[in-house]
Amino acid sequence: MQSPQHSLPEGFAAAAERIVIEVEDIEGFLSPIETRFLVLLGAVPTATGEILEIGSFKGRSTVVLARSSMLAGDELVNAVDPMNAPSSTDPDLGGDESSFDDFSRNTESHGVASRIRLHRMLSTELAKAWTKPIRLLWIDGDHTYEGTRLDLESFEPYLADGAIVAMHDVLHEFDGGIKVFMEHVLRSPHYGVAGFCGSIGWAQFHSDPDQCTQYRDAKAHLYKRLSKLLPYVVTDRPLKGFRKKIYKLHRYRVPHGAVDPAKWCSQIH
């Protein structure tokens, strides 16, 4: 059976650049190339379902997804975050008890508050009541191994066929994202095409593992490259000096540059 063709919405390139500029004033950790890629994920549905963001902080990626999903139609963004930084890997709130006020102010000032459904709770709490199919699962919450694994496992049963899973900070000094991406995505028979953009690891989910067999060697190649990074992120030793240089060398060897939107659309099923 021929795969469906996905195409960029009209005016995508200009809209992506506008969004990159618009969110510069929101505190957060998305680089420009990561922002452009997240715009792509929001603007090009690869399946029918909801957009779910795990980990919102002060709303930078939430605004990106809300803005970009407008290019795809009348979609809302589900954002789940307790807004009180319960994990050791969460961003520092600078003495504040919550990021909620900043999140609300940012989503309001960027005109997307009405397009966001905020679930102010832990992702595992939301999962207990979740029932809808998901077309984009954006994981950027608790970056510990246990936290990232639970985020994926809690919502993986709701992934629509063809959905995209994207995780932030996989190519980072946290060990959660890289270990979960390696063991639960690249080694899973249900994920096909996969890759990186900046520190974002992403892959396309398929209910039928037969649709993923052609990507087995490419995933194994990525797995091998990522395995070189593990000794530097799974230890309590500070990553500095010569060790940090070697880490950066191995990280450089993992393809993670800017994604060409048209080429990406041709890759996905």
Side-chain angles (χ1 to χ4, degrees):
M1 183 175 64
Q2 188 175 15
S3 300
Q5 297 297 308
H6 299 280
S7 59
L8 297 171
E10 185 177 351
F12 172 80
E17 292 310 307
R18 284 197 304 271
I19 293 170
V20 169
I21 294 171
E22 285 176 9
V23 300
E24 284 181 348
D25 66 331
I26 303 177
E27 185 179 351
F29 303 93
L30 285 174
S31 69
I33 68 167
E34 292 173 340
T35 299
R36 292 185 186 93
F37 183 60
L38 200 57
V39 172
L40 177 62
L41 299 185
V44 181
T46 60
T48 300
E50 302 280 317
I51 296 174
L52 176 60
E53 170 188 77
I54 301 177
S56 302
F57 189 43
K58 298 186 179 182
R60 186 168 188 158
S61 61
T62 324
V63 171
V64 172
L65 289 172
R67 277 276 185 229
S68 60
S69 65
M70 293 170 68
L71 300 173
D74 189 23
E75 289 190 80
L76 295 180
V77 174
N78 293 275
V80 56
D81 193 315
M83 298 287 169
N84 61 354
S87 169
S88 60
T89 62
D90 284 340
D92 184 9
L93 294 180
D96 293 336
E97 293 183 359
S98 173
S99 61
F100 177 71
D101 288 344
D102 287 330
F103 175 89
S104 299
R105 180 167 51 254
N106 289 328
T107 54
E108 287 281 356
S109 65
H110 286 80
V112 295
S114 64
R115 303 187 63 82
I116 297 165
R117 186 184 295 117
L118 176 62
H119 307 270
R120 194 173 175 184
M121 61 183 71
L122 293 171
S123 58
T124 49
E125 294 177 298
L126 177 63
K128 295 175 184 177
W130 189 268
T131 59
K132 299 177 181 179
I134 297 170
R135 68 102 160 164
L136 171 58
L137 178 60
W138 167 238
I139 299 176
D140 190 19
D142 182 342
H143 289 71
T144 64
Y145 172 73
E146 186 68 8
T148 309
R149 181 184 64 80
L150 284 173
D151 284 342
L152 178 61
E153 290 185 348
S154 295
F155 292 97
E156 198 172 41
Y158 304 100
L159 293 176
D161 186 39
I164 299 294
V165 170
M167 301 178 182
H168 199 207
D169 293 325
V170 176
L171 296 181
H172 197 278
E173 296 174 19
F174 299 126
D175 69 339
I178 187 172
K179 288 168 65 177
V180 171
F181 193 78
M182 289 175 65
E183 300 300 326
H184 299 271
V185 175
L186 293 180
R187 292 190 64 183
S188 168
H190 288 283
Y191 290 93
V193 60
F196 285 90
C197 178
S199 193
I200 298 173
W202 66 273
Q204 186 174 28
F205 173 86
H206 291 288
S207 303
D208 181 0
D210 288 342
Q211 296 188 57
C212 305
T213 54
Q214 63 181 302
Y215 301 103
R216 189 177 298 157
D217 290 345
K219 290 195 299 179
H221 181 70
L222 276 179
Y223 187 97
K224 184 177 180 180
R225 290 290 179 90
L226 292 174
S227 68
K228 301 289 187 180
L229 297 173
L230 278 181
Y232 301 93
V233 298
V234 298
T235 174
D236 291 333
R237 289 178 61 190
L239 190 56
K240 59 183 181 180
F242 183 70
R243 291 183 71 251
K244 189 163 188 175
K245 291 180 180 179
I246 298 300
Y247 166 82
K248 286 185 174 181
L249 175 62
H250 288 310
R251 186 180 188 272
Y252 173 79
R253 289 173 175 169
V254 179
H256 62 282
V259 169
D260 178 270
K263 184 177 180 181
W264 186 84
C265 287
S266 70
Q267 288 178 316
I268 57 177
H269 287 186

